[in-house]
Amino acid sequence: QVRLVESGGGSVQAGGSLRLACVASGYTYSGHCMGWFRQSPGKEREVIAAITTRGPGETNYADSVKGRFTISQDKVKSTVYLQMDGLKSEDTAMYYCALKLQCWIPRLTDDFGYWGQGTQVTVSS
């Protein structure tokens, strides 16, 4: 079955960087979209980045992270990454990767069918 496993979370000071990874298994890594979401206590889940697996991968970012975060993928490793630079205290949240099958446009929507367990990111000011 589909399995997504995130890693790379941790604690960092404001202005620092982290790189999250999400390893996907249980299906063919092709013809779908991967997304990164985050949720902090008391707030709704927010989709922050998405990428298609077709070709080099078309990407899309939420305004809140555009210019600071970069989503990328390694198809050989079936892994999607989220490079987070210039972290701010408001980036503190649980970060989740998600998969949407039969997807060719990286829309920032919530309709992803498979989710990882999440990895915590804490940014101190």
Side-chain angles (χ1 to χ4, degrees):
Q1 68 275 20
V2 174
R3 187 172 185 226
L4 305 173
V5 180
E6 301 100 332
S7 62
S11 297
V12 64
Q13 289 192 329
S17 298
L18 283 173
R19 189 176 82 152
L20 307 183
C22 173
V23 179
S25 62
Y27 70 103
T28 301
Y29 193 87
S30 178
H32 58 274
C33 295
M34 298 294 293
W36 283 98
F37 292 71
R38 66 185 182 187
Q39 187 170 24
S40 52
K43 294 187 177 181
E44 291 190 358
R45 185 171 60 194
E46 174 189 20
V47 54
I48 56 174
I51 187 169
T52 59
T53 60
R54 182 174 60 179
E58 181 182 352
T59 59
N60 198 3
Y61 298 92
D63 289 342
S64 57
V65 305
K66 196 173 295 182
R68 299 188 298 124
F69 291 10
T70 304
I71 188 170
S72 63
Q73 61 186 336
D74 184 330
K75 295 182 181 180
V76 173
K77 296 181 178 179
S78 297
T79 300
V80 62
Y81 302 97
L82 186 69
Q83 176 67 41
M84 305 186 294
D85 299 316
L87 284 162
K88 307 174 182 179
S89 57
E90 51 263 44
D91 294 319
T92 295
M94 183 71 79
Y95 283 70
Y96 301 88
C97 73
L99 161 69
K100 184 191 309 183
L101 297 175
Q102 298 295 304
C103 171
W104 295 273
I105 300 174
R107 294 188 179 94
L108 300 180
T109 57
D110 200 47
D111 58 338
F112 282 65
Y114 301 91
W115 298 82
Q117 82 290 349
T119 185
Q120 177 68 38
V121 171
T122 302
V123 184
S124 57
S125 56

